[in-house]
Amino acid sequence: NLVTLPKMDLAYESDLDRNGLFFFLGTKFYEQQFQSPIGYLVQVSSSEWNSTITNEMVLSSVWTLNCGNLVTSSKQNSWISFSLLKNITFMPTRYRIQNGTRIKKDACNYLLRNWNFEASCDGIKWTILSSHKNDTFLDDQPGSYHSWELFNDNNNKNYFSHFRVINTGVDSGGAYFTHFGSLEMWGTVNCGDEYISGKF
């Protein structure tokens, strides 16, 4: 059966709820058990991956807790991006970052401290949705997570297909790694095209 999926609100309840975009996509619009949507509905890229990154780490980088571990090379303005495929677009109102699985208490973990959360329609021109300066909400506890509300003005209430975390200064270790485990977002999704249920 052809199913037309309209705009749908994915409302935030808590940092660990199952209402976010990537859980929605990973369950094929709530039609199956969660499987990582990376590769068929989401593409994950970076400015340059650290040599330690494996495919399994990338596959676990959306919604899934305590599994992913993404890290770029230590370079200024390094970034990790998440692109929606199949003409899916999204207007975010909140996002969550979780630390990677290799975080060790009382160690130099190169945690995010200065970064922007940005969005784009074409992957070229980016809009800053949230800017963080010396933000310490992500601590050195393994699996630490936090979410931030996005206070968008009327000019930013747009649907985007590309999202990225880009460093704008040093991390907790004085380097320029962009390093975290997983990302989730809440807001309104526009599924766009018609899909064959269960086969898109």
Side-chain angles (χ1 to χ4, degrees), residues 65-66 98-101 103 141-145:
L65 292 173
N66 301 316
Q98 185 192 33
N99 277 338
T101 55
I103 299 299
Q141 296 293 328
S144 172
Y145 58 84

Side-chain angles (χ1 to χ4, degrees), residues 137-179:
F137 277 111
L138 295 173
D139 59 30
D140 63 357
Q141 296 293 328
S144 172
Y145 58 84
H146 192 77
S147 70
W148 296 266
E149 188 172 359
L150 301 172
F151 297 97
N152 298 340
D153 59 30
N154 290 331
N155 293 327
N156 284 343
K157 289 184 177 179
N158 297 316
Y159 286 84
F160 301 98
S161 54
H162 305 270
F163 303 88
R164 73 178 181 181
V165 175
I166 180 171
N167 82 49
T168 57
V170 295
D171 55 36
S172 64
Y176 290 93
F177 294 105
T178 297
H179 178 206

Side-chain angles (χ1 to χ4, degrees), residues 81-147:
S81 69
F82 299 78
S83 298
L84 306 179
L85 307 178
K86 296 186 180 290
N87 296 318
I88 297 170
T89 56
F90 191 65
M91 182 173 63
T93 57
R94 195 178 191 96
Y95 81 109
R96 183 201 74 211
I97 289 177
Q98 185 192 33
N99 277 338
T101 55
R102 296 187 178 184
I103 299 299
K104 296 180 180 179
K105 185 174 176 55
D106 299 324
C108 183
N109 290 301
Y110 304 103
L111 304 176
L112 286 172
R113 290 294 179 259
N114 301 281
W115 77 94
N116 288 343
F117 181 61
E118 301 180 347
S120 173
C121 295
D122 57 10
I124 299 173
K125 183 179 180 180
W126 294 88
T127 298
I128 298 173
L129 301 183
S130 183
S131 184
H132 303 260
K133 304 295 183 184
N134 297 315
D135 190 322
T136 59
F137 277 111
L138 295 173
D139 59 30
D140 63 357
Q141 296 293 328
S144 172
Y145 58 84
H146 192 77
S147 70

